[in-house]
Amino acid sequence: LSLQLPPRPRTAAHAERKQRAVSPARGRPPSATDGVGGEGGLWAVSLAACLSEFCREEVLDDEERYFCSACAEYVRATKRLAVWRLPPILMVHLKRFAFTEAVREKLDCAVDFPWTGLDLSAALAESSPSRLVAADGLGAAPVYDLYAACCHAGTLSNGHYTALCINQQDGHWYSFDDGQVSRAEMGGSAAVKVQQDAYVLFYEVRGLGRPPVLS
């Protein structure tokens, strides 16, 4: 899955700063993160919200109208994306690099994703063969647990990739930074840092291996 992240919020405080004169010290305009999204210019979104946006119904209108073979004309229609079949290994790509005609930037928003128990029922097609029939007769999706993550720290032009992976033998997380491997403590501020830097998330369906353990 490749999920779009929300753009940097433009608050009133940020707009006011952009109207001011440049810094007299270096002639530098205010930083793009000044006054945006709270302390440090950070903003956040949940993985569930990204999935909801991925599956949101889209209206095809104007030049995007759909050609109806029965009507023999272009008509106003709707389109919705859904997942048909879930794999045993799921990779979730977070689109942190935004390219438009006006802006090229890295989106540093913190993504609140589940380490265990990712449920993709809301993203599945109603008749998907991946739905499990529960006791109440309702279809549910298999549950996924995170086992690795690719992270990117830095900017669009100057950054560094690292990896996190769980050891299935001892249940601990480890950081892979070039030639260095060390045990990673994933609580508190360290977990928040991962949410901000995570670029690709690797999940496995529960039952393939031992579920991840936060430590």
Side-chain angles (χ1 to χ4, degrees):
L1 287 175
S2 190
L3 303 179
Q4 192 72 45
L5 298 183
R8 186 184 304 275
R10 301 297 178 180
T11 64
H14 177 68
E16 181 180 350
R17 282 178 170 83
K18 290 192 69 176
Q19 294 298 323
R20 297 176 184 174
V22 296
S23 170
R26 289 180 175 270
R28 180 189 65 83
S31 168
T33 58
D34 290 346
V36 178
E39 183 179 358
L42 302 181
W43 71 105
V45 65
S46 68
L47 187 65
C50 294
L51 285 168
S52 178
E53 179 64 19
F54 175 82
C55 299
R56 180 176 57 86
E57 188 176 84
E58 178 185 356
V59 177
L60 302 179
D61 205 351
D62 299 327
E63 67 276 3
E64 294 183 339
R65 285 176 178 256
Y66 170 76
F67 183 79
C68 175
S69 57
C71 305
E73 63 179 346
Y74 287 93
V75 297
R76 191 171 183 264
T78 59
K79 178 184 72 174
R80 179 181 180 272
L81 295 178
V83 177
W84 174 246
R85 188 187 300 273
L86 290 173
I89 300 298
L90 174 69
M91 292 182 291
V92 180
H93 168 223
L94 305 175
K95 294 183 178 180
R96 290 202 175 274
F97 302 105
F99 299 92
T100 66
E101 293 183 359
V103 178
R104 294 190 176 191
E105 63 176 341
K106 179 190 173 185
L107 303 176
D108 287 321
C109 64
V111 179
D112 184 11
F113 55 85
W115 296 78
T116 60
L118 173 63
D119 185 355
L120 295 176
S121 296
L124 276 181
E126 292 183 3
S127 56
S128 168
S130 294
R131 288 191 179 276
L132 305 176
V133 180
D136 56 8
L138 299 178
V143 174
Y144 284 87
D145 295 317
L146 188 75
Y147 73 90
C150 174
C151 301
H152 180 274
T155 64
L156 184 65
S157 58
N158 184 18
H160 180 65
Y161 287 96
T162 58
L164 290 168
C165 190
I166 191 170
N167 186 321
Q168 298 284 5
Q169 300 300 318
D170 61 20
H172 295 306
W173 285 88
Y174 289 84
S175 172
F176 297 81
D177 186 352
D178 291 336
Q180 298 182 346
V181 179
S182 59
R183 180 172 165 178
E185 301 298 332
M186 301 310 300
S189 59
V192 174
K193 177 63 174 173
V194 174
Q195 291 178 343
Q196 184 181 349
D197 292 345
Y199 182 47
V200 183
L201 304 173
F202 298 85
Y203 286 91
E204 65 177 5
V205 68
R206 186 170 293 176
L208 284 182
R210 294 173 53 187
V213 178
L214 285 178
S215 57

